[in-house]
Short mmCIF file of all heavy atoms in Angstrom, two decimals:
data_model
loop_
_atom_site.label_atom_id
_atom_site.label_comp_id
_atom_site.label_asym_id
_atom_site.label_seq_id
_atom_site.Cartn_x
_atom_site.Cartn_y
_atom_site.Cartn_z
N MET H 1 -35.37 4.67 -4.76
CA MET H 1 -34.10 5.32 -4.44
C MET H 1 -34.25 6.82 -4.61
O MET H 1 -34.93 7.28 -5.53
CB MET H 1 -33.01 4.78 -5.36
CG MET H 1 -31.63 4.95 -4.79
SD MET H 1 -30.37 4.16 -5.82
CE MET H 1 -30.19 5.35 -7.13
N GLY H 2 -33.62 7.54 -3.71
CA GLY H 2 -33.69 9.00 -3.80
C GLY H 2 -32.99 9.53 -5.03
O GLY H 2 -32.00 8.97 -5.47
N VAL H 3 -33.55 10.57 -5.59
CA VAL H 3 -32.96 11.17 -6.79
C VAL H 3 -32.52 12.58 -6.44
O VAL H 3 -33.27 13.32 -5.80
CB VAL H 3 -34.01 11.19 -7.93
CG1 VAL H 3 -33.43 11.87 -9.16
CG2 VAL H 3 -34.47 9.80 -8.25
N PRO H 4 -31.32 12.99 -6.86
CA PRO H 4 -30.84 14.35 -6.55
C PRO H 4 -31.76 15.41 -7.15
O PRO H 4 -32.17 15.29 -8.30
CB PRO H 4 -29.46 14.40 -7.21
CG PRO H 4 -29.08 13.01 -7.48
CD PRO H 4 -30.34 12.22 -7.62
N ARG H 5 -32.09 16.44 -6.34
CA ARG H 5 -32.98 17.48 -6.84
C ARG H 5 -32.30 18.35 -7.88
O ARG H 5 -32.91 18.80 -8.83
CB ARG H 5 -33.39 18.40 -5.69
CG ARG H 5 -34.67 17.98 -5.05
CD ARG H 5 -35.06 18.98 -4.02
NE ARG H 5 -36.10 18.35 -3.20
CZ ARG H 5 -37.09 19.02 -2.63
NH1 ARG H 5 -37.16 20.33 -2.77
NH2 ARG H 5 -37.98 18.40 -1.93
N GLN H 6 -31.03 18.60 -7.62
CA GLN H 6 -30.34 19.56 -8.49
C GLN H 6 -28.95 19.08 -8.78
O GLN H 6 -28.31 18.45 -7.92
CB GLN H 6 -30.27 20.91 -7.78
CG GLN H 6 -30.03 22.06 -8.72
CD GLN H 6 -30.26 23.40 -8.02
OE1 GLN H 6 -30.44 23.44 -6.82
NE2 GLN H 6 -30.24 24.46 -8.78
N ARG H 7 -28.52 19.36 -9.99
CA ARG H 7 -27.16 19.00 -10.39
C ARG H 7 -26.17 19.74 -9.50
O ARG H 7 -26.34 20.93 -9.22
CB ARG H 7 -27.01 19.44 -11.84
CG ARG H 7 -25.71 19.10 -12.50
CD ARG H 7 -25.64 19.89 -13.81
NE ARG H 7 -24.36 19.61 -14.44
CZ ARG H 7 -24.21 18.80 -15.47
NH1 ARG H 7 -25.26 18.21 -16.00
NH2 ARG H 7 -23.03 18.59 -15.99
N LYS H 8 -25.12 19.02 -9.07
CA LYS H 8 -24.08 19.67 -8.26
C LYS H 8 -23.23 20.56 -9.15
O LYS H 8 -23.01 20.25 -10.33
CB LYS H 8 -23.18 18.61 -7.62
CG LYS H 8 -23.86 17.69 -6.64
CD LYS H 8 -24.06 18.35 -5.30
CE LYS H 8 -24.56 17.31 -4.29
NZ LYS H 8 -25.10 17.97 -3.11
N THR H 9 -22.76 21.65 -8.59
CA THR H 9 -21.91 22.55 -9.37
C THR H 9 -20.54 21.90 -9.61
O THR H 9 -20.17 20.96 -8.93
CB THR H 9 -21.69 23.88 -8.64
OG1 THR H 9 -21.00 23.61 -7.41
CG2 THR H 9 -23.00 24.57 -8.34
N LYS H 10 -19.83 22.44 -10.59
CA LYS H 10 -18.47 21.97 -10.86
C LYS H 10 -17.63 22.06 -9.61
O LYS H 10 -16.80 21.20 -9.32
CB LYS H 10 -17.81 22.83 -11.94
CG LYS H 10 -18.30 22.62 -13.33
CD LYS H 10 -17.54 23.57 -14.26
CE LYS H 10 -18.21 23.64 -15.61
NZ LYS H 10 -17.54 24.66 -16.47
N SER H 11 -17.83 23.16 -8.85
CA SER H 11 -17.06 23.38 -7.62
C SER H 11 -17.32 22.28 -6.61
O SER H 11 -16.38 21.70 -6.05
CB SER H 11 -17.42 24.74 -7.04
OG SER H 11 -16.85 24.89 -5.76
N GLU H 12 -18.59 21.96 -6.38
CA GLU H 12 -18.93 20.90 -5.42
C GLU H 12 -18.39 19.55 -5.89
O GLU H 12 -17.87 18.77 -5.09
CB GLU H 12 -20.45 20.81 -5.25
CG GLU H 12 -21.04 21.92 -4.40
CD GLU H 12 -22.55 21.83 -4.35
OE1 GLU H 12 -23.21 21.96 -5.41
OE2 GLU H 12 -23.07 21.64 -3.24
N ARG H 13 -18.54 19.30 -7.18
CA ARG H 13 -18.03 18.04 -7.74
C ARG H 13 -16.52 17.94 -7.54
O ARG H 13 -16.01 16.91 -7.09
CB ARG H 13 -18.37 17.98 -9.23
CG ARG H 13 -17.94 16.69 -9.91
CD ARG H 13 -17.89 16.86 -11.42
NE ARG H 13 -16.88 17.85 -11.79
CZ ARG H 13 -16.87 18.50 -12.96
NH1 ARG H 13 -17.81 18.29 -13.85
NH2 ARG H 13 -15.92 19.37 -13.24
N ASN H 14 -15.81 19.01 -7.86
CA ASN H 14 -14.36 18.97 -7.77
C ASN H 14 -13.88 18.92 -6.32
O ASN H 14 -12.87 18.28 -6.03
CB ASN H 14 -13.75 20.19 -8.49
CG ASN H 14 -13.98 20.11 -9.99
OD1 ASN H 14 -14.29 19.03 -10.52
ND2 ASN H 14 -13.85 21.23 -10.67
N GLN H 15 -14.62 19.60 -5.43
CA GLN H 15 -14.26 19.52 -4.01
C GLN H 15 -14.42 18.09 -3.49
O GLN H 15 -13.61 17.60 -2.73
CB GLN H 15 -15.12 20.46 -3.17
CG GLN H 15 -14.68 21.91 -3.23
CD GLN H 15 -15.58 22.79 -2.39
OE1 GLN H 15 -15.70 22.61 -1.20
NE2 GLN H 15 -16.25 23.72 -3.05
N ARG H 16 -15.49 17.42 -3.94
CA ARG H 16 -15.70 16.02 -3.54
C ARG H 16 -14.55 15.16 -4.05
O ARG H 16 -14.00 14.35 -3.33
CB ARG H 16 -17.03 15.52 -4.11
CG ARG H 16 -17.32 14.06 -3.77
CD ARG H 16 -18.69 13.61 -4.25
NE ARG H 16 -18.78 13.58 -5.70
CZ ARG H 16 -19.58 14.37 -6.42
NH1 ARG H 16 -20.36 15.27 -5.85
NH2 ARG H 16 -19.60 14.28 -7.73
N ARG H 17 -14.15 15.38 -5.30
CA ARG H 17 -13.12 14.54 -5.91
C ARG H 17 -11.71 14.89 -5.44
O ARG H 17 -10.77 14.19 -5.79
CB ARG H 17 -13.20 14.66 -7.43
CG ARG H 17 -14.48 14.03 -7.96
CD ARG H 17 -14.55 14.11 -9.47
NE ARG H 17 -15.83 13.59 -9.94
CZ ARG H 17 -16.23 13.66 -11.19
NH1 ARG H 17 -15.47 14.22 -12.11
NH2 ARG H 17 -17.39 13.16 -11.55
N SER H 18 -11.59 15.97 -4.68
CA SER H 18 -10.25 16.35 -4.20
C SER H 18 -9.70 15.32 -3.25
O SER H 18 -8.50 15.32 -2.95
CB SER H 18 -10.29 17.73 -3.54
OG SER H 18 -10.93 17.64 -2.28
N HIS H 19 -10.53 14.43 -2.72
CA HIS H 19 -10.07 13.39 -1.79
C HIS H 19 -9.86 12.05 -2.48
O HIS H 19 -9.60 11.06 -1.81
CB HIS H 19 -11.09 13.22 -0.65
CG HIS H 19 -11.33 14.46 0.13
ND1 HIS H 19 -10.46 14.93 1.09
CD2 HIS H 19 -12.34 15.36 0.05
CE1 HIS H 19 -10.95 16.07 1.58
NE2 HIS H 19 -12.08 16.35 0.98
N HIS H 20 -10.01 12.02 -3.80
CA HIS H 20 -9.99 10.73 -4.50
C HIS H 20 -8.61 10.27 -4.93
O HIS H 20 -8.47 9.15 -5.43
CB HIS H 20 -10.90 10.77 -5.73
CG HIS H 20 -12.36 10.76 -5.37
ND1 HIS H 20 -13.35 10.63 -6.30
CD2 HIS H 20 -12.98 10.88 -4.18
CE1 HIS H 20 -14.54 10.66 -5.69
NE2 HIS H 20 -14.33 10.82 -4.41
N ALA H 21 -7.61 11.12 -4.77
CA ALA H 21 -6.28 10.74 -5.26
C ALA H 21 -5.74 9.57 -4.47
O ALA H 21 -5.95 9.46 -3.27
CB ALA H 21 -5.33 11.94 -5.16
N LEU H 22 -5.02 8.69 -5.14
CA LEU H 22 -4.42 7.54 -4.48
C LEU H 22 -3.06 7.94 -3.90
O LEU H 22 -2.31 8.68 -4.53
CB LEU H 22 -4.22 6.39 -5.48
CG LEU H 22 -5.50 5.80 -6.07
CD1 LEU H 22 -5.13 4.77 -7.12
CD2 LEU H 22 -6.35 5.19 -4.99
N ALA H 23 -2.81 7.46 -2.69
CA ALA H 23 -1.52 7.74 -2.06
C ALA H 23 -0.51 6.69 -2.50
O ALA H 23 -0.88 5.53 -2.74
CB ALA H 23 -1.66 7.73 -0.55
N ARG H 24 0.72 7.09 -2.60
CA ARG H 24 1.77 6.12 -2.94
C ARG H 24 1.94 5.16 -1.78
O ARG H 24 1.86 5.56 -0.62
CB ARG H 24 3.09 6.84 -3.20
CG ARG H 24 3.12 7.60 -4.51
CD ARG H 24 4.53 8.08 -4.78
NE ARG H 24 5.42 6.97 -5.08
CZ ARG H 24 5.71 6.53 -6.30
NH1 ARG H 24 5.17 7.13 -7.34
NH2 ARG H 24 6.53 5.53 -6.50
N ILE H 25 2.19 3.89 -2.11
CA ILE H 25 2.38 2.92 -1.03
C ILE H 25 3.77 3.10 -0.42
O ILE H 25 4.71 3.47 -1.11
CB ILE H 25 2.20 1.46 -1.51
CG1 ILE H 25 3.17 1.14 -2.64
CG2 ILE H 25 0.77 1.20 -1.90
CD1 ILE H 25 3.33 -0.35 -2.84
N GLN H 26 3.83 2.86 0.91
CA GLN H 26 5.11 2.93 1.62
C GLN H 26 5.86 1.63 1.40
O GLN H 26 5.28 0.55 1.55
CB GLN H 26 4.87 3.14 3.11
CG GLN H 26 4.33 4.51 3.46
CD GLN H 26 5.36 5.60 3.26
OE1 GLN H 26 6.55 5.36 3.48
NE2 GLN H 26 4.92 6.77 2.85
N VAL H 27 7.10 1.71 1.03
CA VAL H 27 7.91 0.51 0.84
C VAL H 27 9.16 0.63 1.70
O VAL H 27 9.86 1.63 1.65
CB VAL H 27 8.30 0.32 -0.63
CG1 VAL H 27 9.17 -0.92 -0.79
CG2 VAL H 27 7.06 0.20 -1.50
N ALA H 28 9.40 -0.41 2.52
CA ALA H 28 10.62 -0.45 3.33
C ALA H 28 11.60 -1.42 2.68
O ALA H 28 11.22 -2.17 1.78
CB ALA H 28 10.29 -0.88 4.75
N ARG H 29 12.84 -1.40 3.15
CA ARG H 29 13.86 -2.30 2.63
C ARG H 29 14.09 -3.43 3.63
O ARG H 29 14.16 -3.18 4.83
CB ARG H 29 15.18 -1.55 2.41
CG ARG H 29 15.13 -0.62 1.22
CD ARG H 29 15.29 -1.39 -0.09
NE ARG H 29 14.64 -0.63 -1.17
CZ ARG H 29 14.26 -1.19 -2.32
NH1 ARG H 29 14.45 -2.45 -2.53
NH2 ARG H 29 13.69 -0.46 -3.23
N CYS H 30 14.22 -4.64 3.14
CA CYS H 30 14.55 -5.77 4.01
C CYS H 30 15.97 -5.62 4.52
O CYS H 30 16.88 -5.32 3.75
CB CYS H 30 14.40 -7.07 3.23
SG CYS H 30 14.93 -8.52 4.15
N GLN H 31 16.14 -5.82 5.85
CA GLN H 31 17.48 -5.67 6.43
C GLN H 31 18.40 -6.82 6.01
O GLN H 31 19.61 -6.71 6.09
CB GLN H 31 17.40 -5.64 7.96
CG GLN H 31 16.83 -4.34 8.51
CD GLN H 31 16.76 -4.35 10.02
OE1 GLN H 31 17.43 -5.12 10.67
NE2 GLN H 31 15.93 -3.47 10.57
N ASN H 32 17.80 -7.94 5.61
CA ASN H 32 18.61 -9.12 5.26
C ASN H 32 18.98 -9.14 3.79
O ASN H 32 20.16 -9.23 3.45
CB ASN H 32 17.84 -10.39 5.63
CG ASN H 32 18.66 -11.64 5.43
OD1 ASN H 32 19.79 -11.73 5.92
ND2 ASN H 32 18.12 -12.58 4.70
N CYS H 33 17.98 -9.03 2.92
CA CYS H 33 18.27 -9.19 1.49
C CYS H 33 18.13 -7.89 0.71
O CYS H 33 18.51 -7.84 -0.46
CB CYS H 33 17.35 -10.26 0.89
SG CYS H 33 15.63 -9.78 0.75
N GLY H 34 17.58 -6.85 1.34
CA GLY H 34 17.48 -5.57 0.65
C GLY H 34 16.29 -5.45 -0.28
O GLY H 34 16.16 -4.45 -0.97
N GLY H 35 15.45 -6.47 -0.30
CA GLY H 35 14.28 -6.43 -1.18
C GLY H 35 13.21 -5.50 -0.64
O GLY H 35 13.26 -5.08 0.52
N ALA H 36 12.24 -5.17 -1.47
CA ALA H 36 11.15 -4.28 -1.06
C ALA H 36 10.16 -5.05 -0.18
O ALA H 36 9.75 -6.15 -0.53
CB ALA H 36 10.45 -3.74 -2.29
N VAL H 37 9.80 -4.47 0.96
CA VAL H 37 8.88 -5.11 1.90
C VAL H 37 7.87 -4.07 2.35
O VAL H 37 8.19 -2.89 2.47
CB VAL H 37 9.61 -5.61 3.18
CG1 VAL H 37 8.87 -6.78 3.79
CG2 VAL H 37 11.04 -5.97 2.90
N MET H 38 6.64 -4.49 2.63
CA MET H 38 5.69 -3.63 3.27
C MET H 38 6.10 -3.45 4.72
O MET H 38 6.56 -4.42 5.34
CB MET H 38 4.27 -4.22 3.20
CG MET H 38 3.72 -4.34 1.79
SD MET H 38 3.60 -2.76 0.94
CE MET H 38 2.18 -2.07 1.79
N PRO H 39 5.96 -2.26 5.31
CA PRO H 39 6.35 -2.05 6.70
C PRO H 39 5.59 -2.99 7.63
O PRO H 39 4.41 -3.27 7.40
CB PRO H 39 5.96 -0.59 6.98
CG PRO H 39 5.89 0.05 5.65
CD PRO H 39 5.46 -1.03 4.69
N HIS H 40 6.25 -3.48 8.67
CA HIS H 40 5.70 -4.39 9.68
C HIS H 40 5.36 -5.77 9.11
O HIS H 40 4.60 -6.51 9.72
CB HIS H 40 4.44 -3.80 10.36
CG HIS H 40 4.62 -2.39 10.85
ND1 HIS H 40 5.36 -2.08 11.96
CD2 HIS H 40 4.20 -1.22 10.34
CE1 HIS H 40 5.35 -0.77 12.12
NE2 HIS H 40 4.65 -0.22 11.14
N ASP H 41 5.91 -6.07 7.93
CA ASP H 41 5.65 -7.37 7.33
C ASP H 41 6.93 -8.18 7.23
O ASP H 41 8.02 -7.63 7.06
CB ASP H 41 5.09 -7.18 5.91
CG ASP H 41 3.58 -7.18 5.88
OD1 ASP H 41 2.99 -7.01 6.97
OD2 ASP H 41 3.02 -7.32 4.80
N VAL H 42 6.78 -9.49 7.31
CA VAL H 42 7.91 -10.38 7.08
C VAL H 42 8.27 -10.31 5.59
O VAL H 42 7.40 -10.20 4.73
CB VAL H 42 7.53 -11.82 7.46
CG1 VAL H 42 8.63 -12.80 7.09
CG2 VAL H 42 7.23 -11.91 8.94
N CYS H 43 9.57 -10.35 5.33
CA CYS H 43 10.03 -10.28 3.94
C CYS H 43 9.53 -11.51 3.18
O CYS H 43 9.73 -12.63 3.62
CB CYS H 43 11.54 -10.19 3.89
SG CYS H 43 12.20 -10.19 2.22
N GLY H 44 8.86 -11.29 2.06
CA GLY H 44 8.35 -12.40 1.27
C GLY H 44 9.43 -13.13 0.51
O GLY H 44 9.25 -14.26 0.07
N ASN H 45 10.57 -12.50 0.37
CA ASN H 45 11.66 -13.10 -0.40
C ASN H 45 12.51 -14.04 0.45
O ASN H 45 12.78 -15.16 0.05
CB ASN H 45 12.52 -11.97 -0.99
CG ASN H 45 13.58 -12.50 -1.93
OD1 ASN H 45 13.31 -13.40 -2.71
ND2 ASN H 45 14.76 -11.94 -1.84
N CYS H 46 12.93 -13.57 1.65
CA CYS H 46 13.85 -14.36 2.46
C CYS H 46 13.24 -14.81 3.78
O CYS H 46 13.84 -15.63 4.48
CB CYS H 46 15.14 -13.59 2.71
SG CYS H 46 14.93 -12.11 3.72
N GLY H 47 12.06 -14.31 4.18
CA GLY H 47 11.42 -14.76 5.41
C GLY H 47 11.99 -14.14 6.67
O GLY H 47 11.73 -14.63 7.76
N PHE H 48 12.73 -13.04 6.54
CA PHE H 48 13.30 -12.38 7.71
C PHE H 48 12.42 -11.22 8.15
O PHE H 48 11.74 -10.60 7.33
CB PHE H 48 14.71 -11.84 7.38
CG PHE H 48 15.80 -12.86 7.59
CD1 PHE H 48 15.82 -14.04 6.86
CD2 PHE H 48 16.81 -12.62 8.52
CE1 PHE H 48 16.82 -14.97 7.04
CE2 PHE H 48 17.81 -13.57 8.70
CZ PHE H 48 17.83 -14.73 7.97
N TYR H 49 12.42 -10.94 9.43
CA TYR H 49 11.76 -9.74 9.95
C TYR H 49 12.69 -9.07 10.94
O TYR H 49 13.08 -9.69 11.94
CB TYR H 49 10.42 -10.08 10.62
CG TYR H 49 9.70 -8.86 11.14
CD1 TYR H 49 9.14 -7.96 10.24
CD2 TYR H 49 9.63 -8.59 12.49
CE1 TYR H 49 8.50 -6.82 10.69
CE2 TYR H 49 8.99 -7.46 12.95
CZ TYR H 49 8.42 -6.58 12.05
OH TYR H 49 7.79 -5.45 12.51
N ARG H 50 13.08 -7.86 10.71
CA ARG H 50 14.00 -7.08 11.54
C ARG H 50 15.28 -7.85 11.86
O ARG H 50 15.70 -7.92 13.01
CB ARG H 50 13.32 -6.62 12.83
CG ARG H 50 12.14 -5.69 12.56
CD ARG H 50 11.54 -5.17 13.82
NE ARG H 50 12.45 -4.22 14.49
CZ ARG H 50 12.21 -3.67 15.68
NH1 ARG H 50 11.09 -3.98 16.32
NH2 ARG H 50 13.06 -2.85 16.23
N GLY H 51 15.82 -8.50 10.84
CA GLY H 51 17.11 -9.15 11.00
C GLY H 51 17.09 -10.57 11.51
O GLY H 51 18.15 -11.19 11.62
N THR H 52 15.92 -11.09 11.89
CA THR H 52 15.87 -12.47 12.35
C THR H 52 14.97 -13.29 11.44
O THR H 52 13.95 -12.78 10.95
CB THR H 52 15.34 -12.57 13.79
OG1 THR H 52 14.09 -11.88 13.85
CG2 THR H 52 16.30 -11.98 14.80
N GLU H 53 15.33 -14.55 11.25
CA GLU H 53 14.55 -15.40 10.38
C GLU H 53 13.28 -15.84 11.10
O GLU H 53 13.33 -16.45 12.16
CB GLU H 53 15.35 -16.63 9.95
CG GLU H 53 14.67 -17.41 8.84
CD GLU H 53 15.55 -18.51 8.27
OE1 GLU H 53 16.53 -18.88 8.93
OE2 GLU H 53 15.23 -19.00 7.18
N VAL H 54 12.14 -15.52 10.54
CA VAL H 54 10.86 -15.84 11.16
C VAL H 54 10.19 -16.98 10.41
O VAL H 54 9.60 -17.87 11.01
CB VAL H 54 9.95 -14.59 11.17
CG1 VAL H 54 8.68 -14.86 11.95
CG2 VAL H 54 10.69 -13.41 11.77
N VAL H 55 10.24 -16.90 9.09
CA VAL H 55 9.61 -17.94 8.27
C VAL H 55 10.72 -18.65 7.51
O VAL H 55 11.53 -18.02 6.85
CB VAL H 55 8.60 -17.32 7.27
CG1 VAL H 55 7.95 -18.41 6.44
CG2 VAL H 55 7.54 -16.53 8.03
N LYS H 56 10.72 -19.97 7.63
CA LYS H 56 11.73 -20.74 6.90
C LYS H 56 11.31 -20.84 5.44
O LYS H 56 10.24 -21.34 5.11
CB LYS H 56 11.86 -22.14 7.49
CG LYS H 56 12.64 -22.19 8.79
CD LYS H 56 14.05 -22.71 8.54
CE LYS H 56 14.81 -22.96 9.83
NZ LYS H 56 15.43 -21.75 10.39
N LYS H 57 12.19 -20.31 4.58
CA LYS H 57 11.93 -20.42 3.15
C LYS H 57 12.54 -21.72 2.65
O LYS H 57 13.32 -22.37 3.35
CB LYS H 57 12.52 -19.20 2.43
CG LYS H 57 11.73 -17.94 2.66
CD LYS H 57 10.45 -17.98 1.84
CE LYS H 57 9.48 -16.90 2.30
NZ LYS H 57 8.26 -16.92 1.51
N SER H 58 12.20 -22.07 1.43
CA SER H 58 12.70 -23.32 0.87
C SER H 58 14.23 -23.36 0.93
O SER H 58 14.91 -22.38 0.61
CB SER H 58 12.25 -23.45 -0.58
OG SER H 58 12.73 -22.34 -1.33
N VAL H 59 14.76 -24.49 1.38
CA VAL H 59 16.20 -24.61 1.63
C VAL H 59 16.95 -24.64 0.30
O VAL H 59 16.69 -25.48 -0.55
CB VAL H 59 16.49 -25.90 2.43
CG1 VAL H 59 17.99 -26.00 2.72
CG2 VAL H 59 15.70 -25.90 3.73
N THR H 60 17.87 -23.70 0.18
CA THR H 60 18.70 -23.68 -1.02
C THR H 60 20.03 -24.33 -0.71
O THR H 60 20.63 -24.07 0.34
CB THR H 60 18.95 -22.24 -1.51
OG1 THR H 60 19.40 -21.46 -0.42
CG2 THR H 60 17.66 -21.64 -2.06
N VAL H 61 20.49 -25.18 -1.59
CA VAL H 61 21.73 -25.91 -1.35
C VAL H 61 22.91 -24.98 -1.64
O VAL H 61 23.01 -24.43 -2.76
CB VAL H 61 21.80 -27.17 -2.25
CG1 VAL H 61 23.11 -27.93 -2.00
CG2 VAL H 61 20.59 -28.05 -1.97
N LYS H 62 23.73 -24.78 -0.61
CA LYS H 62 24.93 -23.94 -0.79
C LYS H 62 26.15 -24.82 -0.99
O LYS H 62 26.27 -25.86 -0.37
CB LYS H 62 25.14 -23.03 0.42
CG LYS H 62 24.16 -21.88 0.46
CD LYS H 62 24.47 -20.96 1.62
CE LYS H 62 23.48 -19.79 1.65
NZ LYS H 62 23.69 -18.94 2.83
N LYS H 63 27.02 -24.37 -1.87
CA LYS H 63 28.22 -25.16 -2.15
C LYS H 63 29.31 -24.85 -1.12
O LYS H 63 29.49 -23.71 -0.75
CB LYS H 63 28.72 -24.86 -3.56
CG LYS H 63 27.78 -25.38 -4.63
CD LYS H 63 28.18 -24.88 -6.02
CE LYS H 63 27.12 -25.22 -7.03
NZ LYS H 63 27.38 -24.58 -8.34
ZN1 ZN N 101 14.47 -10.22 2.73
#
């Protein structure tokens, strides 16, 4: 394996690491239940996508 000839300067090291920060994840709101959803994803809580039911969740008995 190749070995670096010379130690990188603090400046080079820090410039490299300037791209390492993590970006905050984007969170959208479900139009049906208001829960947090990833954009372009079906709501994991209620199974709705853009106001229509796409995935049938377990049937809850309503009185
Ligand atoms: Zn929902």
Side-chain angles (χ1 to χ4, degrees):
M1 203 174 78
V3 177
R5 267 185 195 212
Q6 200 168 9
R7 184 192 177 103
K8 297 281 188 195
T9 62
K10 286 180 193 174
S11 171
E12 285 176 297
R13 182 198 63 201
N14 293 343
Q15 281 179 61
R16 179 176 67 245
R17 291 181 184 173
S18 73
H19 301 282
H20 287 188
L22 296 175
R24 287 189 69 94
I25 58 162
Q26 291 290 326
V27 179
R29 288 282 154 200
C30 175
Q31 287 180 19
N32 185 52
C33 70
V37 207
M38 295 300 286
H40 311 286
D41 267 16
V42 174
C43 177
N45 187 40
C46 66
F48 273 61
Y49 181 71
R50 297 184 70 185
T52 53
E53 190 172 17
V54 187
V55 181
K56 283 257 188 277
K57 287 285 166 179
S58 59
V59 181
T60 50
V61 180
K62 285 184 179 176
K63 291 171 189 172

